Amino acid sequence: MENDLPTHEVQSCRRLDFEDVDSQEINNNALPLCITDGNQENQIFVPLAIPDELVPKLGMEFDTEVAARNFYQKYAKASGFGTRLSTGHKDKNSDMILDRIFCCSREGKRPKDKRNMIVKCPRPETRCDCSARMKISCRQAGKYRVVQFVTEHNHELSTPSKTHLFRSHRHVTMAHEAEIDMARSYGITPKQSIELMSKQVGGRENLGFIRDDLKNYLRSKRSIPMIQGDTGGVLEYLQRMQLEDPNFFYAIQVDEDDLITNIFWADAKMRTDFAHFGDVVCFDTTYRKHKDGRPIALFVGVNHHKQTTVFGGALLYDETIGTFEWLFDTFTKAMMGKIPRTILTDQDGRMATALASQWPTTYHRLCIWHIYQNAATHLADVFKDFQNFAADFSHCIYDYENENDFFEGWSKMLKMYGLEDNKWLKKMFDIKEKWALVYGRETFCADMTTTQRSESMNSVIKKYVSYKHDLLEFFEHFQRLLDDRRYDESVADFRGNQSTPAMIFPCKILQHAASIYTHEVYEKLKDELCKGIDCKWEVDGELGNEVIYRVTPYGKTSHHLVTYDSSKNSISCSCKKFEFAGFLCSHALKILMTLNIVTIPDAYILKRWTKAAKTGNVCVSSESSQEMESKAKLSFRYKELSYLYMQLMTKACECDEAYKIAKDGFWKMLEQMDASEIDCSKIKGIKVKERVTYKSSKRPKSALEMATKKRKYKVKEKSSSKRLQV
């Protein structure tokens, strides 16, 4: 009979229907026991199996309110409920907390909300007027003493494996923030970040926060630059970079309304690289930041490993002559007055005008690839009707070594295809000095004829920068691109210093080249040497100590004239390969081998292609003597301690003795840190101004909502006007 039941009956709130189960799993998932008198509403839930040292007791004393709260937090987490701060009283004179109540998170009841009728998805009810609490007071003694402690709850408690989901038990620490910031700066998604951190601590229940907390932190992180605006965020980033690196250079241009239009920046590594490899620069503005359409202008070049290197970057507002003039002038200031010998650009008239005014001594060459693209547009019918036109057009660009031969070949091509009156070809002939190789053979171009390196950098940028990124995020992710390129350069440096290229056949001049050139330039020289083996040669004439040789490449009828001066140990070729690329051509190498010269003359070893290209003093130093900011210090400490931690864990898990030593050492370190007088938790961050309170409590409407409202208003206005007309 129901009435025969005892007044209070203890029963399990969860029944296991299976027998073979792991005992640890039962402990992690078993619910506390509940005491009932038969009435469902009068159930009392009491946590069980709590260690005695975690249970609060009447008369227990604490030095501070925070210590008392932390103790109750530990008890609540072990018991399976969340906590929150309840009422408290302060001393009017000293503003000191006299008493405080720490209660269950389900204490009290939710007040009635006037919006209940219009809320589509109301939040679930969590309050149930639970009376579990702990009250502390310091009215009678100097320390906080427990004066009230209620253990009973009127609701089910959580299992130990789920207590980490309570809001009071979740906290993103400064160490977590540093790790999250580091993951975000390298493009790792929040989902991947939390999975990685969970693996490190042995599960999500041990992490201390959930994915929602991580997203909230990132959202608050993004809201700071949103409050500051793009201007404040970008300026703060540039100033911080200059603090960390005193050789970091940036410049901004504003319009008459004091609005930023153009931004240029270059760090110490860019400026140092320009000092070593800035003789030839490719400049391009084809890539645009999709979100606001700003052109991204990059000054790029090639280093001694034949890798693309960045000398500077700019975010431009437009592509006018004035903008380009400001940019080239700013670049000169950043590079301590040095300007490139040669610059390669696309066929932009405004860019050419700005270059002529700002860098008049720099040789301006046009990108051959862009010329072919323009030719395919303006001469589409000619390319379609005549298969040999492309070869003849290429012959005029690359193959002539004499200006008269170029004039003759150009006229012959125009007559052959009936293009004497073509306006585009006439326009191109007027600027022939900028694209025909016959005019640029004696100008050093680092073996580049196109801005393809800039084009390739644009394709690389797309892998790091998304159209969703704002300006501040663009700078942060662009730095990732630079870091990756510089790491590739370090790998190439290591490979060049610690290895030697394999010799296909024993050749003294190749061995000499391998000892001085980088691997990539050595391969170029080796290809030239292999071409030279099949070349035919004959003496064309002599003039004093100079001997002129006629060298004919294999399979070709044209020849090149190579002049060797035995008194000066100098050699030159009519193809001007050395003057254009910086290393000897196949024709000159053929004559050197014929004369049994086993080393490359010093005059023809360009330092920028050697392993020692970056040696010597430059006017820009990348060393920084400034102290890092507190956040940077925290990140540095975290990375260093993480590295040491991984090393220790790898050794400690190998045997029981090492495991015991590591564990005891950790406990000892924790005790020492707790006993330390230094309280890092007091540092809360930067002091901010008081938040402005608005009179209206309405949610600000988005632009989409405002536009929709305007459309509805217009439709309504039209319909009303029609009714009036009727």
Side-chain angles (χ1 to χ4, degrees):
M1 295 289 295
E2 241 178 48
N3 297 332
D4 295 333
L5 289 172
T7 306
H8 289 87
E9 167 183 300
V10 179
Q11 60 184 10
S12 174
C13 296
R14 183 174 182 269
R15 180 172 295 172
L16 300 176
D17 296 330
F18 44 88
E19 297 178 359
D20 299 330
V21 74
D22 185 32
S23 60
Q24 183 67 31
E25 185 179 350
I26 295 177
N27 293 334
N28 289 337
N29 295 288
L31 289 169
L33 299 184
C34 64
I35 301 174
T36 180
D37 58 359
N39 188 352
Q40 188 73 14
E41 296 181 356
N42 296 328
Q43 289 182 343
I44 299 175
F45 293 81
V46 181
L48 298 179
I50 304 299
D52 187 62
E53 62 270 13
L54 294 181
V55 179
K57 300 177 181 62
L58 294 177
M60 185 177 289
E61 293 184 344
F62 302 95
D63 293 332
T64 62
E65 179 199 1
V66 176
R69 183 181 182 183
N70 291 339
F71 185 83
Y72 193 63
Q73 282 275 71
K74 292 180 182 178
Y75 165 74
K77 189 171 184 179
S79 302
F81 68 94
T83 66
R84 60 184 177 87
L85 288 177
S86 186
T87 58
H89 297 87
K90 288 184 178 181
D91 184 81
K92 295 182 179 179
N93 298 324
S94 62
D95 205 32
M96 176 183 176
I97 299 293
L98 298 177
D99 56 57
R100 172 71 74 185
I101 295 177
F102 307 107
C103 63
C104 175
S105 59
R106 304 191 67 178
E107 182 264 349
K109 290 187 177 180
R110 180 185 293 177
K112 188 175 181 181
D113 193 345
K114 298 178 181 180
R115 301 174 300 171
N116 279 342
M117 298 300 295
I118 59 175
V119 174
K120 294 182 180 179
C121 300
R123 292 183 178 180
E125 182 65 61
T126 57
R127 304 285 186 90
C128 61
D129 204 14
C130 179
S131 60
R133 64 180 59 194
M134 183 184 82
K135 182 177 180 181
I136 59 173
S137 176
C138 67
R139 294 177 183 272
Q140 299 178 355
K143 294 186 177 182
Y144 291 93
R145 181 178 297 176
V146 179
V147 296
Q148 183 186 14
F149 177 54
V150 181
T151 60
E152 296 83 6
H153 298 259
N154 65 350
H155 57 87
E156 291 189 8
L157 303 181
S158 174
T159 60
S161 61
K162 300 181 182 68
T163 52
H164 68 283
L165 298 174
F166 285 106
R167 186 176 299 176
S168 59
H169 301 317
R170 300 181 343 230
H171 179 59
V172 181
T173 64
M174 291 186 69
H176 287 142
E177 290 177 1
E179 192 168 358
I180 293 170
D181 292 342
M182 192 186 308
R184 175 175 169 268
S185 64
Y186 282 92
I188 301 175
T189 63
K191 182 176 182 296
Q192 294 170 334
S193 299
I194 201 166
E195 288 177 354
L196 175 61
M197 289 187 284
S198 300
K199 284 285 185 181
Q200 291 175 341
V201 297
R204 296 191 177 186
E205 62 275 9
N206 301 323
L207 187 57
F209 62 92
I210 61 176
R211 190 189 301 179
D212 290 342
D213 300 320
L214 186 145
K215 290 182 177 179
N216 290 337
Y217 170 73
L218 292 177
R219 190 178 295 111
S220 64
K221 189 87 173 175
R222 286 191 293 266
S223 66
I224 296 174
M226 285 174 62
I227 295 172
Q228 297 173 336
D230 276 346
T231 303
V234 169
L235 289 180
E236 183 182 353
Y237 172 83
L238 295 173
Q239 291 167 0
R240 175 162 52 85
M241 292 295 292
Q242 199 169 54
L243 283 175
E244 296 176 1
D245 175 10
N247 292 309
F248 183 90
F249 179 93
Y250 75 92
I252 59 175
Q253 186 184 33
V254 297
D255 60 6
E256 61 275 6
D257 297 324
D258 293 333
L259 298 175
I260 293 178
T261 54
N262 304 310
I263 305 172
F264 171 82
W265 74 98
D267 60 18
K269 183 66 168 62
M270 294 178 183
R271 301 171 76 183
T272 304
D273 285 341
F274 184 78
H276 293 304
F277 311 111
D279 40 17
V280 181
V281 169
C282 295
F283 180 72
D284 184 66
T285 60
T286 55
Y287 183 77
R288 294 179 180 271
K289 188 179 179 300
H290 190 275
K291 191 173 183 179
D292 51 10
R294 282 179 172 268
I296 298 176
L298 293 179
F299 295 89
V300 303
V302 58
N303 63 11
H304 55 320
H305 298 294
K306 285 286 189 176
Q307 296 173 332
T308 301
T309 183
V310 181
F311 300 138
L315 277 173
L316 306 178
Y317 178 76
D318 53 24
E319 296 178 81
T320 61
I321 296 176
T323 295
F324 286 130
E325 287 179 343
W326 173 86
L327 180 59
F328 296 142
D329 182 60
T330 304
F331 183 84
T332 305
K333 293 177 182 177
M335 303 307 164
M336 309 297 289
K338 179 182 177 181
I339 61 175
R341 292 168 55 186
T342 306
I343 185 169
L344 284 82
T345 70
D346 58 7
Q347 197 172 344
D348 189 299
R350 294 162 297 184
M351 197 182 298
T353 303
L355 281 170
S357 64
Q358 300 303 115
W359 294 349
T361 59
T362 298
Y363 184 62
H364 181 202
R365 287 195 58 81
L366 298 179
C367 172
I368 303 300
W369 183 83
H370 282 98
I371 290 177
Y372 270 107
Q373 295 298 311
N374 293 332
T377 303
H378 293 88
L379 305 173
D381 295 336
V382 181
F383 277 100
K384 182 179 179 181
D385 297 337
F386 303 99
Q387 295 182 353
N388 295 329
F389 177 75
D392 293 337
F393 187 65
S394 176
H395 190 59
C396 291
I397 294 175
Y398 290 107
D399 295 343
Y400 291 111
E401 298 178 2
N402 183 274
E403 186 178 16
N404 294 329
D405 294 339
F406 169 75
F407 287 154
E408 184 180 345
W410 182 264
S411 300
K412 183 178 179 182
M413 181 190 72
L414 295 180
K415 291 179 181 179
M416 182 181 299
Y417 300 103
L419 300 172
E420 294 91 341
D421 298 328
N422 187 276
K423 294 182 179 179
W424 183 78
L425 287 176
K426 286 183 178 180
K427 183 179 178 181
M428 291 303 299
F429 186 77
D430 292 338
I431 56 172
K432 57 185 177 299
E433 292 82 4
K434 294 184 177 182
W435 54 266
L437 200 58
V438 65
Y439 296 100
R441 290 187 181 276
E442 297 187 11
T443 304
F444 181 71
C445 292
D447 203 23
M448 292 188 293
T449 57
T450 71
T451 59
Q452 200 63 36
R453 291 191 178 272
S454 295
E455 301 290 339
S456 64
M457 281 299 297
N458 290 336
S459 64
V460 171
I461 288 177
K462 296 176 183 178
K463 299 178 182 178
Y464 293 84
V465 180
S466 169
Y467 70 92
K468 297 179 181 179
H469 294 152
D470 55 29
L471 286 179
L472 181 58
E473 289 176 322
F474 163 78
F475 278 99
E476 293 175 347
H477 289 284
F478 185 79
Q479 187 62 40
R480 289 175 47 220
L481 182 152
L482 295 177
D483 293 339
D484 289 347
R485 307 296 290 191
R486 290 166 183 175
Y487 182 77
D488 292 341
E489 182 180 350
S490 298
V491 172
D493 285 338
F494 175 81
R495 176 169 168 259
N497 294 331
Q498 301 298 322
S499 63
T500 305
M503 296 290 149
I504 300 178
F505 51 88
C507 179
K508 291 295 182 180
I509 199 168
L510 272 184
Q511 292 177 359
H512 181 234
S515 65
I516 56 174
Y517 288 125
T518 60
H519 285 240
E520 292 75 17
V521 179
Y522 165 80
E523 292 296 328
K524 290 283 185 181
L525 192 78
K526 185 185 71 175
D527 293 342
E528 293 293 329
L529 188 69
C530 293
K531 294 177 184 177
I533 293 175
D534 294 330
C535 290
K536 297 180 180 180
W537 66 273
E538 58 180 335
V539 177
D540 190 63
E542 295 184 15
L543 183 62
N545 294 325
E546 294 183 351
V547 181
I548 302 174
Y549 299 88
R550 186 191 298 267
V551 181
T552 306
Y554 176 77
K556 292 188 177 181
T557 56
S558 60
H559 63 271
H560 303 275
L561 298 178
V562 179
T563 304
Y564 178 74
D565 189 336
S566 58
S567 62
K568 299 178 182 179
N569 195 24
S570 63
I571 192 168
S572 63
C573 180
S574 60
C575 74
K576 303 297 181 181
K577 179 78 173 181
F578 173 76
E579 289 79 1
F580 183 81
F583 48 86
L584 291 175
C585 61
S586 58
H587 324 117
L589 290 172
K590 175 68 174 182
I591 300 303
L592 289 178
M593 288 189 296
T594 302
L595 298 175
N596 199 26
I597 298 175
V598 297
T599 59
I600 301 173
D602 293 339
Y604 304 98
I605 299 175
L606 209 60
K607 184 182 177 182
R608 62 122 50 231
W609 295 131
T610 65
K611 298 177 182 179
K614 293 189 290 186
T615 59
N617 295 326
V618 292
C619 57
V620 178
S621 173
S622 60
E623 295 295 326
S624 174
S625 60
Q626 300 290 334
E627 293 185 357
M628 294 184 296
E629 296 181 5
S630 59
K631 197 75 175 178
K633 284 183 178 180
L634 179 66
S635 178
F636 172 76
R637 291 170 185 162
Y638 184 85
K639 288 187 286 186
E640 188 174 25
L641 290 175
S642 297
Y643 177 72
L644 295 174
Y645 172 80
M646 293 302 296
Q647 285 185 317
L648 182 62
M649 291 301 98
T650 303
K651 295 181 179 179
C653 66
E654 293 178 353
C655 62
D656 294 338
E657 185 178 357
Y659 168 75
K660 187 176 183 303
I661 294 173
K663 188 175 180 181
D664 294 342
F666 270 123
W667 282 114
K668 187 176 180 180
M669 283 191 295
L670 287 173
E671 291 174 359
Q672 291 176 348
M673 293 176 67
D674 291 338
S676 175
E677 295 180 356
I678 301 175
D679 186 6
C680 297
S681 62
K682 292 181 181 178
I683 303 173
K684 301 296 184 181
I686 301 174
K687 185 178 180 180
V688 297
K689 294 183 179 180
E690 294 182 2
R691 185 175 298 177
V692 179
T693 56
Y694 297 95
K695 294 181 180 179
S696 176
S697 60
K698 293 183 179 180
R699 176 181 63 84
K701 294 183 179 181
S702 65
L704 179 61
E705 290 175 316
M706 295 293 289
T708 306
K709 185 178 179 180
K710 287 181 180 179
R711 286 197 297 269
K712 289 181 179 179
Y713 178 76
K714 289 181 180 180
V715 171
K716 187 177 179 180
E717 194 177 31
K718 286 182 180 180
S719 60
S720 61
S721 62
K722 287 181 180 179
R723 286 197 299 269
L724 290 173
Q725 291 176 1
V726 173

